[in-house]
Amino acid sequence: MERLAFLTVDGLSRGAVYAAMALALVLIWRGARIVNFAQGAMAVAAAYVAHSVTAATGSFWLGFLAAPAAGLALGWLVERLVMRHVGHDRPLNAVIVALGLVLLITAVLGIVYGNEFRPAPPAFDRTAGFALLSPYDIFVFGSVAATVGALALLFTRSKAGLRLRASAFAPEVSRLLGVNVGGMLLLGWVLAAGVGALAGMLIIPTEFGLHPNAMDRSFVVAFTAAVVGGLDSPAGAVIGGLAVGLVLSFVGGYLGDQVTPLAIIVLLLAVLLIRPDGLFAKPAARRI
Amino acid sequence: MKRYLWTLLGAALLLALTYVIPPFQNYQLATVAAYLCATAGLTVLTGQNGQLSLGHGALMATGAYTVALMQNAIGNLPLSLLAGVVVTTAAGAVIGLAAARLRGPYLAGVTLAVAVVVPGITTMFDDVLGGDQGLTFYLAPPPFGYDFPFERWQAWIALAAALLTVLLLGNLAAGRYGREFRAVRDDEIAARLCGIHLARTQILAFVVSAAAAGLGGGVLAVLAQSVSPGAFSLTLSLFLVMAIVVGGLGSLAGAVWGAILLVALPDLTTRVTEVFALPTGLAQRLEGNLPLAIFGITLIVVMILAPGGLQGLFLRIVKRGR
């Protein structure tokens, strides 16, 4: 029973981070119809910036805050320098360009920092404090909840949010009404990269450490979470993240850690084959 | 008929080449041939049928591990390679069945999951697959006596596999199935109206392409006489995508360009870094990562500026020259 409770808390804590990453994927998908396959690599780059800032200043929190800031900057760069120029004649183009970014970012990180694992200390103690909840879990829940809340406020209660939603759903009409659609696209990328960087800072200390490929598997899990919720639904991304976190935690806890990789594929395939638009999407008519 | 003559001519030229070049370059030639099997297969799938697979590195791993296991169990090389192709074909059929129902980024996501997750399976069954260490196996010496260079023998095996793959895939692409592949890629509804069975065509493309990747992986294992999960990481899958994009999506000649680049570029960067007397730490980091960076930049630039790839550029220059 205690094991069940422990696995539940651990799964939810990881799931919260996957939810944040999935939310970042959804943000870009809604705006640009692009799945940002480079998101994991971008988050790792931000985590390395945090590592450097902490090493230079000696302050952990300065480094921790530097990561989302670096993420925002990286999102800006990626959209302005690369993604904006990708042709939209075939949906494969953007995916392939994002994969090129993955190669480039991991290579640059490998050249600057080397390809060995570096320790990534967690912000708080990860051993259970009271009622199975470790201080780190509380920190994770708090920061993800704050991020999700801030994004929800931005999207539903601000003028920028209205413009963001408008340009995502009807770019042509929005442009005619005077909305800067290109700027909104940029804003979407910047926000998503910032959220992704924060998620990276939260997930990397719970795994093997900092490494240019540290987020590969987490990205796949986050993609699964986004698909479970439906790539179009921010609320679905959060629920999908928590659900996937729980499933993987139970599989890892009861069947063994080696089985989790297979569980990820099975889960992803099952969702895509049964409900390709996500569990929370209304069934839509599909051509052919 | 013309295609067979060209293949024979190519085979004769390559055979002569293996007698001229030194052993290390024979080994590199063999590596190019091994990659060519996989890039040719991926070209048929992604370029001609429009399905992007990020999981071909994992399919190569399937072929490679099968060859290693068969070599240790029986030790008959043609049989091992055949088994590698058969097992990978089966794996490709499973993924292809799912892939036929998926489009665009969803398919990319699933195959990415395969690429990221499959190397971990080797630790799941580490008593059979050897975990992170991988497996080593024995390769019988060439049947032409012991003074026949081993690298030339490996080059022959690899070139035979590559020529066979390119010939068969070329025949396929030129025939009815190739037309159906391209019809499905260009317009699914129109293809359906012409009586083409969408799912069957897509699964066929995936299966054929997986078989080629399995052969490529098997040959790669034969060259190294060992397999390990590190050799079949996500990076390998991305390299293969890079190779076919740079070569020109959809043309088998482009697959040749890509395979050559995969071997030549790392070699070139190593030589360039050797010219500058860099401190060893930096030189080591550059050696592994600089090719990656160049591949990444190439992928981005080619995709944005010249979606036709090297082969498209080459054709344009040839046309202008006439």
Side-chain angles (χ1 to χ4, degrees), chain B residues 80-297:
Chain B
S80 304
L81 285 173
L82 187 69
V85 173
V86 170
V87 170
T88 316
T89 309
V94 174
I95 306 175
L97 269 174
R101 298 191 52 182
L102 304 174
R103 297 290 175 271
Y106 292 105
L107 177 57
V110 169
T111 49
L112 177 77
V114 171
V116 170
V117 163
V118 161
I121 291 178
T122 52
T123 43
M124 213 169 127
F125 302 102
D126 55 357
D127 44 340
V128 186
L129 300 178
D132 285 338
Q133 308 294 313
L135 303 166
T136 55
F137 59 89
Y138 172 72
L139 184 63
F144 311 106
Y146 281 91
D147 51 341
F148 192 87
F150 198 66
E151 284 81 4
R152 192 184 297 156
W153 172 234
Q154 288 179 315
W156 284 14
I157 298 172
L159 287 170
L163 284 170
L164 183 71
T165 309
V166 172
L167 181 69
L168 291 180
L169 290 179
N171 275 344
L172 186 83
R176 189 189 123 205
Y177 289 113
R179 263 198 312 282
E180 291 187 357
F181 287 169
R182 290 187 292 275
V184 169
R185 171 195 66 186
D186 290 336
D187 193 333
E188 292 191 356
I189 299 172
R192 185 72 180 266
L193 285 172
C194 294
I196 297 173
H197 195 295
L198 281 188
R200 204 181 294 153
T201 312
Q202 285 175 321
I203 294 170
L204 179 70
F206 215 107
V207 166
V208 167
S209 155
L215 183 60
V219 171
L220 215 52
V222 167
L223 297 186
Q225 292 172 53
S226 65
V227 284
S228 65
F232 300 98
S233 60
L234 172 64
T235 312
L236 175 65
S237 294
L238 296 186
F239 275 11
L240 294 176
V241 173
M242 197 284 311
I244 61 160
V245 167
V246 169
L249 269 177
S251 83
L252 284 174
V256 179
W257 286 104
I260 292 173
L261 208 61
L262 278 184
V263 176
L265 204 55
D267 188 48
L268 200 70
T269 46
T270 314
R271 281 185 205 189
V272 170
T273 46
E274 271 167 11
V275 171
F276 304 101
L278 296 166
T280 34
L282 183 66
Q284 247 172 16
R285 281 188 241 156
L286 276 179
E287 204 174 305
N289 288 303
L290 200 57
L292 244 75
I294 297 175
F295 283 147
I297 294 174

Side-chain angles (χ1 to χ4, degrees), chain B residues 5-25:
Chain B
L5 286 177
W6 276 116
T7 311
L8 269 180
L9 185 67
L13 280 177
L14 287 168
L15 197 69
L17 187 67
T18 57
Y19 278 94
V20 184
I21 53 180
F24 180 64
Q25 262 143 37

